[in-house]
Amino acid sequence: MGYDPLRSVLEVKLLTDKKVRRYENVPEEIWYRLRQHYHPDTYFRVHVCGHYEETILPNEDEEGMDKR
């Protein structure tokens, strides 16, 4: 999990499928609250999912694969 304050981009790797999700235009305050929340998974589902544009990034092991 990480946040780029210059681009307002949040990246989260979910344990369920091991995929990294990138969220654009996330305010820095959301990042701080997510990190400090007692249940970050709940905060993520309620305040991030469906509220910001999501891009699922390819897994590192898939990047080198031939996609025919």
Side-chain angles (χ1 to χ4, degrees):
M1 184 165 66
Y3 183 76
D4 180 347
L6 298 177
R7 298 185 307 142
S8 299
V9 171
L10 173 67
E11 289 187 354
V12 177
K13 183 174 186 177
L14 299 184
L15 296 176
T16 54
D17 63 5
K18 310 290 189 233
K19 293 188 184 278
V20 175
R21 286 162 166 74
R22 176 179 290 157
Y23 298 91
E24 309 280 340
N25 301 313
V26 177
E28 199 165 2
E29 182 66 25
I30 296 291
W31 163 243
Y32 288 130
R33 290 181 181 182
L34 174 63
R35 285 188 340 179
Q36 296 171 352
H37 201 272
Y38 183 70
H39 292 289
D41 56 333
T42 301
Y43 187 89
F44 171 77
R45 282 181 300 196
V46 171
H47 297 283
V48 177
C49 289
H51 296 277
Y52 302 97
E53 183 178 344
E54 177 186 86
T55 303
I56 299 176
L57 305 179
N59 290 341
E60 291 175 4
D61 56 344
E62 291 176 358
E63 288 179 5
M65 295 176 63
D66 186 4
K67 298 180 177 137
R68 289 185 213 182

